[in-house]
Amino acid sequence: MCGIVGYTGEKQAVSILLESLEKLEYRGYDSAGIAVLGETEGTEVVKSKGRLSALKQKINGSEQIKGSCGIGHTRWATHGIPSEENAHPHFSNDKNVIAVHNGIIENYSELKEKLKKEGYTFYSQTDTEVAVKLIDYYLKKYGQGPVDALSRMMLRVSGSYAMAIMLRDYPGEIFAVRKDSPMIIGMSGNETYLASDVPAILNYTDCVYYVDNCEIAHLKKGSVEFYNIDREIIGKKPTKINWECESTDKKGYQHFMLKEIHEQPKAVRDTLNSVIRDGKISFEGLGISESDIRKTESICIVGCGSAYHAGVAIQYIIEDLCAVPVRVELASEFRYRKPVLPENTLVIVISQSGETADSLAALRLASSLGYRTHAIVNVYGSTIAREADSVFYTSAGPEIAVATTKAYLTQLIAGYLTALGFASVKGKISESKLEELIMELQSIPDKIVSILSDKERIQWFASKYSNASDVFFIGRGTDYAISMEGSLKMKEISYIHSEAYAAGELKHGTISLVEKGTLVVSVLTQPELFDKMISNMSEVKSRGGYVMGLTGKGNYEIEDTADFTVYIPQTDPHFAAALAAVPLQLMGYYISVAKGIDVDKPRNLAKSVTVE
Ligand code: AGP
C-alpha cells in the first residue's frame, strides 16, 4: 500500500506535499517523491529511495522548487524493487503526463507490450509507469482531453488505483481517478488537497469529498469537479471529519504505538458510548435492525491479521451469550473458497482501515452470494464501511503505528457489544444480567489505566528477552485468541520468531521445540481453564522452558509454577481478553524498542494492505 498526496492553491506546494506525506508514511516507506508544476520552468520531479527524510535532504528546503501545484508519493513496493527509478512520480518521456499511484495495475504487462509497439520506451519496472504512458497515448491518439483519456484508461486497465495526475497543458490543475484504493479530496478556501487518507490533510481542512469507484476528479485552486466513467458530471456532498488534528501527532510519546496504547482507555470508552444509551445497547445508528438480528441464525466473521484475531476472540463470546454458531475465516482464504453457509448467515467483516484488499474481496463475495453483511471498521467512509449493509464504527480515532493496538482493542469491544446486543434481542440473556455485563464493560477503561500504571514491570521483563530467538504464546478459549495477537505483535515489531498455540495442542508436537530457557507466555484469564493451563505450564517447565504467566489479580497460586507473572484486574471472563491484550502489546513494544527497531514503521510492512 502507498500514500499519495496532491495540492493546488495559492501557497508553495513543496512544504505542503512533504508535510502531508509525513502523515502518510505509515502507508509505505521504501521510497518517496514529489512533482511540482512550476510557474515558468515546467514540472520539477524529485524522488529518492528510502524514507521521506532522504527526499527532504535531496530537496533541501522548499525554496529550490517553486510552484503552487504538485503531487507526492510514499511507496510500499509491489512491482519493482525499492529504487529511485521505481519511486513515484512516474511520467511520460516528454513529461506531458506525470502521476502518482496507490494500487496495482494487474494487466500492466500486456499494456506495456501494446505501448512498446506504439513506440513507447520504459525506464522503470513499475505498473504505474505503464498506466501513465497509457494516459499519454489516449490523450495523443484521441485528442479529446484529460477526462476522455482517463476514462479510456479506466476502461482498459484491470486492478486497483488511486492516481493523481498532472498534465503539462493544464498548469495549476490536478486530475484524479479511483478504483478500490482510497482517495479523498479536501477543500479550504482557494486551496484544494488530495490524499489517500484523512491524516494527510487534517491540518489543512476537515471538509472532504470521498471519491467513489470509477470516478474522475478535476481539481483546480479552491474547486473540484467529479465525473463518472462515462464522462458525465456528477454531484457530490462534502463530509466533515471529526478527528482532532492532535490525533496525528505523537504528543510527547516516543512512538505512535506507545501513544496509541495509552489512548486505549479513551478509545474503549468512546466505542462503548457510541452504542450504549441510558444503560441499554442501541444498534439503530448502525443500519442493522432487531428483525435482522432475530433472523440471524449463524455468523461468519472474516478479517486479516489482528482483525482476524479479534474475530477468533469474539467467536467464543457470541456463541456463549447468543447460542448462535460462529465461524471465523481469514479473508484471504474465504475470498477464494466456495463458502457453504446457512441461509441466514450474517457475514461480519472486521477491518481497521476498511481498505484491506482481501477483506474487501471477502465482503463482496459474501454480498454476491446474497448474505447480509456487517462491518466493524475504524476509518469513517472507508470502502468496506460504505459497501457493507451495516457498519459498526469503532471510535479509536486515527491509528498511525503499523502495529495495531487501540483499533484492535475496540474491535474486541465492538464484538462484545454485538454479542450482548444480539443476546438481548434474541432473548438469550436476562435484563439484569445484561445490565450487569454492560456495567462491567464500562469498567474496562479504568482497568486498562491500572494496567498501564504497571508498565515499567513489563518493560523490565521485556528488556531481558530482546535477544530471544523464539517466543511461544499459549492459551485456551479466548486466551488462545489473545495469544495469537500477542505473538503477532512480537513478530511484526521485534522481528523475533513467535508462535501462538492452543495450550492443549502443545503435547501434540510443538512441545518438542521447548528447550532450556525458551520463553513461553501463558495466558490464563478463564477460571474454568485455569488448572488445565497450570498443567501445561508445568509441562513446559519440566522441559526447561521459562514460563511467564498472565492472569487476573488474586490468582496468586500461579506463582508456584510461573517464573514471572503479570496480573490484570479481575473482570468478567467474557471480557478478560480486552485486558490481557494490553500487557502483550507493551511486551512487544518494549522488546522492539530495546532492539532499536523503528517501532512505528517495521520493515516490510504497511498499515493497510490494499493489494492482494
Ligand atoms: C496489525 O498489527 C497488523 N498491522 C495487521 O495484521 C492488520 O491487523 C491487518 O493487516 C488487517 O488490517 P485492517 O484491520 O486494516 O483490515
Side-chain angles (χ1 to χ4, degrees), residues 193-454:
Y193 304 87
L194 176 148
S196 299
D197 200 350
V198 166
I201 59 173
L202 206 52
N203 280 341
Y204 307 110
T205 180
D206 60 3
C207 170
V208 301
Y209 293 92
Y210 287 96
V211 184
D212 285 312
N213 268 357
C214 300
E215 289 183 350
I216 299 164
H218 182 185
L219 288 71
K220 294 180 180 172
K221 299 181 190 303
S223 72
V224 59
E225 268 177 348
F226 295 98
Y227 301 82
N228 61 22
I229 200 162
D230 298 321
R231 308 186 292 284
E232 296 155 342
I233 288 193
I234 50 178
K236 207 175 260 292
K237 286 194 175 28
T239 300
K240 184 169 169 42
I241 297 295
N242 57 12
W243 284 355
E244 307 82 41
C245 293
E246 62 176 13
S247 309
T248 59
D249 293 315
K250 286 184 199 163
K251 283 177 59 185
Y253 285 95
Q254 188 183 356
H255 298 103
F256 277 111
M257 184 176 174
L258 188 61
K259 170 177 174 259
E260 288 154 6
I261 288 173
H262 282 78
E263 288 176 335
Q264 292 183 123
K266 178 180 185 308
V268 167
R269 193 173 294 113
D270 292 349
T271 302
L272 291 169
N273 293 340
S274 70
V275 292
I276 294 177
R277 303 265 183 286
D278 308 325
K280 295 268 184 279
I281 293 173
S282 157
F283 285 160
E284 262 137 60
L286 311 188
I288 184 166
S289 67
E290 290 201 359
S291 66
D292 294 325
I293 294 172
R294 282 193 203 92
K295 270 191 301 200
T296 299
E297 290 167 2
S298 84
I299 289 174
C300 180
I301 301 175
V302 181
C304 299
S306 297
Y308 167 76
H309 298 156
V312 176
I314 293 163
Q315 169 188 39
Y316 293 93
I317 311 308
I318 294 178
E319 288 193 335
D320 187 52
L321 293 178
C322 305
V324 165
V326 180
R327 67 191 260 185
V328 189
E329 297 268 2
L330 287 168
S332 53
E333 288 295 309
F334 181 85
R335 65 177 293 188
Y336 295 114
R337 291 178 63 155
K338 294 176 179 53
V340 178
L341 303 171
E343 192 184 337
N344 288 321
T345 293
L346 175 68
V347 176
I348 299 179
V349 178
I350 303 179
S351 173
Q352 186 282 130
S353 63
E355 300 297 347
T356 298
D358 287 324
S359 306
L360 177 59
L363 172 75
R364 288 174 174 167
L365 173 64
S367 296
S368 69
L369 296 173
Y371 296 111
R372 199 188 194 291
T373 59
H374 181 69
I376 296 177
V377 168
N378 190 45
V379 176
Y380 182 82
S382 54
T383 306
I384 288 172
R386 286 186 285 154
E387 294 195 11
D389 294 323
S390 52
V391 55
F392 186 128
Y393 279 113
T394 51
S395 306
E399 187 175 69
I400 307 301
V402 165
T404 184
T405 50
K406 62 177 184 173
Y408 162 79
L409 211 68
T410 54
Q411 287 165 356
L412 290 180
I413 298 298
Y416 300 155
L417 290 162
T418 301
L420 290 175
F422 277 43
S424 171
V425 168
K426 286 174 168 290
K428 300 290 184 185
I429 187 171
S430 67
E431 277 306 305
S432 59
K433 184 66 177 167
L434 178 65
E435 275 170 36
E436 177 198 321
L437 290 176
I438 289 175
M439 278 180 68
E440 183 53 35
L441 264 185
Q442 290 174 317
S443 75
I444 293 290
D446 289 342
K447 289 178 175 174
I448 295 173
V449 171
S450 71
I451 295 171
L452 294 173
S453 64
D454 187 31

Side-chain angles (χ1 to χ4, degrees), residues 3-7 16-17 20-21 24 70-73 100 164 194-196 200:
I4 68 170
V5 296
Y7 166 78
I16 293 173
L17 295 174
S20 301
L21 284 176
L24 291 185
I71 54 179
H73 186 273
V100 290
L194 176 148
S196 299

Side-chain angles (χ1 to χ4, degrees), residues 480-534:
Y480 170 40
I482 295 310
S483 299
M484 290 176 176
E485 182 58 14
S487 174
L488 178 59
K489 288 287 142 318
M490 184 66 75
K491 282 181 274 200
E492 65 177 333
I493 57 175
S494 72
Y495 310 157
I496 292 174
H497 171 254
S498 170
E499 297 294 336
Y501 273 90
E505 267 300 284
L506 272 181
K507 54 187 172 296
H508 297 288
T510 315
I511 200 161
S512 63
L513 295 176
V514 175
E515 51 195 17
K516 185 163 175 31
T518 304
L519 174 59
V520 177
V521 180
S522 310
V523 187
L524 306 82
T525 71
Q526 303 300 299
E528 78 278 12
L529 297 167
F530 187 86
D531 293 341
K532 287 274 180 279
M533 282 301 298
I534 293 290

